[in-house]
Amino acid sequence: METAIRGRLSLSPNTVFSPKPGEKRSLCRGPCINRGILMAISTTGPSKGGGILEKPVIERTTPGRESEFDLRKSRKIAPPYRVMLHNDNYNKREYVVQVLMKVIPGMTLDNAVNIMQEAHYNGLAVVIICAQADAEEHCMQLRGNGLLSSIEPASGGC
């Protein structure tokens, strides 16, 4: 049988082929459904008759095997935004520190004090750099607690 198939299709052991619909040499009868699938046929034993055909190996491209470039291209990262704290003459320093620690996740006492002092002396301080949706939420929470806050695009990175 091996020689009959090999003779009819002119295949040698370990030949890789891709059948096309309507091709006379195709192993598919009727329309070939698996056009994009590569099949490898190999034989065991010597090349004289009596070899048994092994089960065809079907090779498919793995969907999770894109390059890093393709992943970055498909997963568009939202540009970062800065949450800004403005100085005001109404809120006490201790209250500003408490609000920063309550509203901003992971805010430590030392960072909150440094941000409050920077806003107090310079009139403005960066609270956090994050995605636009998060920046808008943090800004609204700061404002909801009586602090002056705004957001701006963080162009040029962090």
Side-chain angles (χ1 to χ4, degrees), residues 40-61:
I41 298 178
S42 63
T43 60
T44 57
S47 63
K48 294 199 174 197
I52 299 172
L53 288 176
E54 293 178 1
K55 185 176 179 181
V57 178
I58 300 173
E59 299 175 14
R60 296 178 188 237
T61 56

Side-chain angles (χ1 to χ4, degrees), residues 96-153:
V96 173
V97 170
Q98 287 175 347
V99 170
L100 287 170
M101 289 175 38
K102 180 174 83 171
V103 169
I104 308 300
M107 179 66 67
T108 63
L109 177 63
D110 288 341
N111 285 341
V113 168
N114 289 336
I115 291 167
M116 175 274 301
Q117 287 180 336
E118 185 178 342
H120 179 73
Y121 292 116
N122 299 325
L124 193 64
V126 176
V127 177
I128 191 171
I129 299 174
C130 54
Q132 183 178 4
D134 294 334
E136 289 171 352
E137 179 65 27
H138 295 320
C139 182
M140 293 308 294
Q141 288 179 344
L142 291 171
R143 288 178 180 179
N145 283 282
L147 303 183
L148 297 177
S149 178
S150 63
I151 65 169
E152 64 181 32

